[in-house]
């Protein structure tokens, strides 16, 4: 029987990557959709062509690397264009994620980390929550993005209410409720089913 696939999502700076790394230390294989998307955007020739057609040659630097800063500056202020990029990237990442799942048949369960998540594809969904002001502080420190740039990304993401509708489990990563205990408890629960 294939292992269950648990989705983990949260807004920018919520801490979903940090929390996914704790699960990974506990021995759970983690698929990081944002990282794989960037790898595929650089290395999959069909996707490269498709994005160059949509965004123009500036989407890639002369070195061949994906010009993330330039693309970010265009798409996070343009929901229609971001939707177009997603429509091209998502099916490729989905296919890659399905291939990855098949390679981990022995795991207790699998974790699929993504900034964008829909109901239906996963056995259960974990949502990582943190107050918006704290998320902004974390990302400023991590990325050096401006507050305006972070707020424009937040405006493009699901709202806290939309995310909580998806949640089977919530991890509160708000600097008050110890996160390690929450992860250990949830891991024990997920292993026992
Ligand atoms: C827009 C891009 C160039 C921004 O790259 P950059 O390195 O500057 O930032 P990064 O990827 O770390 O994203 C910054 C924040 O925005 C979030 N984010 C990224 N893509 C999206 C999106 N399509 N919708 C909403 N939020 C997004 C990230 O989770 C993170 O919280 C890049 O993320 C991208 O090409 N995204 C579109 C395709 C994609 O990755 N989709 C998600 C996985 S399937
Ligand atoms: N509980 C915490 N205590 C201290 N620092 C934290 C905590 N949670 C997250 N951080 C830090 O905040 C920053 C954002 O966390 P992380 O990168 O995990 O968020 P994310 O939800 O994956 O964000 P993104 O959507 O941008 O990828 C990181 O630098 C991380 O180390």
């Amino acid at each position: 029987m294939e292992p269950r696939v648990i989705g983990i999502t949260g807004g920018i700076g919520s801490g979903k990557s940090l929390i996914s790394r704790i699960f990974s230390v506990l021995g759970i294989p983690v698929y990081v959709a944002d990282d794989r998307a960037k790898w595929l955007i650089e290395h999959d020739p069909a996707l490269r062509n498709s994005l160059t057609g949509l965004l123009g040659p500036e989407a890639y630097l002369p070195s061949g690397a994906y010009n993330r800063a330039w693309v970010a500056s265009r798409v996070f202020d343009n929901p229609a264009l971001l939707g177009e990029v997603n429509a091209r990237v998502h099916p490729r990442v989905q296919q890659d994620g399905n291939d990855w799942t098949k390679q981990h048949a022995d795991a207790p369960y699998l974790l699929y980390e993504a900034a964008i998540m829909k109901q239906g594809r996963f056995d259960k969904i974990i949502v990582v929550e943190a107050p918006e002001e704290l998320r902004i502080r974390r990302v400023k420190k991590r990325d050096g993005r401006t507050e305006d740039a972070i707020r424009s990304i937040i405006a493009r993401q699901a709202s806290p209410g939309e995310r909580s509708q998806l949640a089977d489990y919530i991890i509160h990563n708000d600097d008050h409720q110890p996160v390690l205990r929450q992860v250990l408890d949830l891991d024990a629960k997920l292993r026992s089913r």
Side-chain angles (χ1 to χ4, degrees):
M1 204 172 76
E2 286 195 4
R4 283 165 312 145
V5 185
I6 313 295
I8 180 165
T9 190
I12 181 169
S14 58
K16 60 187 172 298
S17 306
L18 181 91
I19 285 163
S20 296
R21 281 202 293 275
I22 304 175
F23 280 99
S24 160
V25 169
L26 297 173
I28 301 306
V30 181
Y31 183 89
V32 184
D34 288 346
D35 289 354
R36 281 302 292 166
K38 279 177 201 141
W39 191 90
L40 290 162
I41 286 170
E42 267 183 26
H43 294 92
D44 183 287
L47 194 50
R48 254 185 113 91
N49 279 342
S50 168
L51 290 181
T52 305
L54 176 69
L55 299 163
E58 297 96 326
Y60 293 89
L61 295 164
S63 65
Y66 183 40
N67 193 351
R68 289 160 52 178
W70 182 84
V71 177
S73 72
R74 296 208 52 212
V75 298
F76 284 133
D77 281 332
N78 184 339
L81 191 59
L82 179 62
E84 279 290 330
V85 172
N86 284 339
R88 289 162 197 238
V89 177
H90 273 194
R92 184 65 189 91
V93 177
Q94 190 156 341
Q95 179 194 24
D96 184 71
N98 289 342
D99 293 344
W100 175 87
T101 305
K102 294 194 190 93
Q103 290 162 16
H104 294 277
D106 296 335
Y109 61 92
L110 303 175
L111 213 58
Y112 187 105
E113 179 202 328
I116 315 171
M117 196 159 283
K118 289 206 177 98
Q119 209 113 43
R121 186 171 165 207
F122 301 101
D123 293 287
K124 297 280 180 198
I125 293 181
I126 303 168
V127 171
V128 181
E129 278 185 357
E132 188 166 304
E133 296 311 312
L134 176 60
R135 288 163 48 202
I136 292 171
R137 268 206 308 282
R138 285 175 180 160
V139 176
K140 266 192 190 160
K141 195 166 154 198
R142 185 194 63 187
D143 295 352
R145 282 182 221 263
T146 64
E147 180 158 345
D148 279 355
I150 301 165
R151 288 195 188 278
S152 100
I153 293 175
I154 288 174
R156 300 282 85 82
Q157 297 190 322
S159 68
E162 286 165 336
R163 267 194 298 267
S164 73
Q165 291 209 323
L166 287 178
D168 295 292
Y169 307 106
I170 294 178
I171 291 181
H172 299 277
N173 184 24
D174 55 9
D175 278 355
H176 295 295
Q177 304 169 71
V179 95
L180 197 51
R181 172 52 51 206
Q182 297 177 64
V183 174
L184 291 172
D185 288 349
L186 185 49
D187 174 62
K189 201 181 278 181
L190 291 169
R191 280 174 197 263
S192 71
R193 315 216 161 134

